Structures are given as structure tokens and as C-alpha cells.
Amino acid sequence: MKTIGITGPTGCGKTTFLQEIAAHGGVIVDCDALYYELLKTDPALKAALQKAFGDVFLPDGSLDRKSLAARVFSNRQALDTLNEIVFFHVGAAVEKLRAQAKKGGKPLFAIDAINLLESGMGNGCDVTVGILAPKPVRLARIMARDHLSEQAARARIDAQKPDEFYRTGCQVILTNDTSLEAFRDASRRLLNDITKEETP
């Protein structure tokens, strides 16, 4: 089983690549979704957050995101602590899912994570793939997808890491700058290269 780490800024079209992985019989782990699931199901994660930041959970047990954000976004050390906690617990959950996928005979295991490189999860991948797209393309996608104004969409793009971060950190770059079908074809070719058996 090959493990693929996938990252890149928002609006670049990662979904298309993920669809192709699913078509190849792969298992896909969305680390953002996994984190929010763990907030509901993992007592160790909740305990770690409470120990570090105090009472950041609402009476219904859900995370008080506004309260946590207020504590970390103006304090670099607090943000680093939050990332350390999240990376540890999400990383452990990813490893359990990877073991299950391997036991199930899956050909591919894909980790979709915006912080793939920063968290260290990319180090355990057979290949890391950065998905990039030109800013005007990203801008249009984000505005349509999230119903944002151009100003809000630009602010979201500007807040993320530059393309060079991914070009430097990832082993493979897929650029989504032409048609959907052309990007889909490029995705298929890459996956075929990753999954093909080595000749003896």
C-alpha cells in the first residue's frame, strides 16, 4: 500500500485529485474532518485542550471556537501549543486508520491535510503532492464555493502560505491551471505512476 500526502492552499482543486484516488480504490482521510470528529469522540484530545487552555468547551460539549481562537491567534506560543496538541492526536488517529487500510488490502492511503508538512505527517508518506493553481482561478473558485466577496476571498488567499512553500516542501506538484479534464488526466497519470508495480 502506498501512502500519499496531499496539501496545498484553498481553491486549488484538491477534490478532483481525491476523486481519482477514490476511483483507484484508495482510502482518503480528511484531517480537518478527522479533527472535528475527534473533538466529539476522543477524551484525551479534549483533556489536553482543557489542560492547556482552560474551559474552551461549551455546555453541550462542543468546542468554543471563538474562545479558543481569541486565546491563540494573538499569542504565538499558545498557537504553537495548540498545533502540537492537534498534530499529535490527529497524527495518532491517522496511523490507526492507515493500519486498518493496510490490513484491508487497500492499494492507496491518502492523507489530505493543509498542515501536512508542518505537522510532520508528510515524513511518513511515500510521496507528498502539492496541488496549486493560479490566484485568479483560486479567487473565482473560493468566491463561488463559499459565497464570499472578492475582498474576503483575497484575504483568505493572502493569509495562506505562498506557492513556493509547497514547491519546496512537496515531492510532486500538480498545477490545476487548464481544464478540469486535463487536470483529471494529470491526476490519473500520477496515480498510475505511484501504484504501478516495480519490474524485477
Side-chain angles (χ1 to χ4, degrees), residues 36-97:
Y36 290 115
E37 180 63 26
L38 291 174
L39 285 171
K40 301 175 186 177
T41 62
D42 186 354
L45 171 58
K46 294 183 72 171
L49 290 172
Q50 287 176 320
K51 182 178 179 180
F53 302 107
D55 189 10
V56 289
F57 288 89
L58 297 169
D60 65 0
S62 63
L63 181 67
D64 187 343
R65 298 185 194 180
K66 288 185 178 180
S67 174
L68 183 58
R71 301 182 193 205
V72 303
F73 288 147
S74 59
N75 184 326
R76 182 66 200 186
Q77 185 175 356
L79 181 58
D80 288 344
T81 298
L82 174 61
N83 285 335
E84 184 178 338
I85 292 169
V86 173
F87 294 163
F88 175 80
H89 288 275
V90 171
V94 166
E95 287 308 310
K96 289 180 182 179
L97 293 170

Side-chain angles (χ1 to χ4, degrees), residues 20-169:
E20 289 303 316
I21 291 172
H24 275 70
V27 172
I28 299 164
V29 177
D30 178 337
C31 286
D32 281 345
L34 179 60
Y35 167 59
Y36 290 115
E37 180 63 26
L38 291 174
L39 285 171
K40 301 175 186 177
T41 62
D42 186 354
L45 171 58
K46 294 183 72 171
L49 290 172
Q50 287 176 320
K51 182 178 179 180
F53 302 107
D55 189 10
V56 289
F57 288 89
L58 297 169
D60 65 0
S62 63
L63 181 67
D64 187 343
R65 298 185 194 180
K66 288 185 178 180
S67 174
L68 183 58
R71 301 182 193 205
V72 303
F73 288 147
S74 59
N75 184 326
R76 182 66 200 186
Q77 185 175 356
L79 181 58
D80 288 344
T81 298
L82 174 61
N83 285 335
E84 184 178 338
I85 292 169
V86 173
F87 294 163
F88 175 80
H89 288 275
V90 171
V94 166
E95 287 308 310
K96 289 180 182 179
L97 293 170
R98 175 157 44 186
Q100 292 173 9
K102 187 173 182 179
K103 186 176 181 180
K106 296 295 184 179
L108 290 171
F109 183 76
I111 303 170
D112 175 14
I114 187 66
N115 290 315
L116 179 79
L117 304 176
E118 301 94 319
S119 67
M121 282 191 289
N123 296 332
C125 297
D126 294 296
V127 61
T128 52
V129 180
I131 311 292
L132 301 178
K135 279 191 177 182
V137 174
R138 292 175 58 201
L139 186 67
R141 285 185 186 140
I142 294 169
M143 289 172 64
R145 182 190 68 196
D146 299 334
H147 309 291
L148 296 176
S149 67
E150 181 176 342
Q151 182 179 5
R154 285 189 183 279
R156 183 173 295 186
I157 289 173
D158 291 342
Q160 296 193 322
K161 289 183 169 60
D163 288 0
E164 191 58 31
F165 172 80
Y166 301 100
R167 293 188 187 279
T168 302

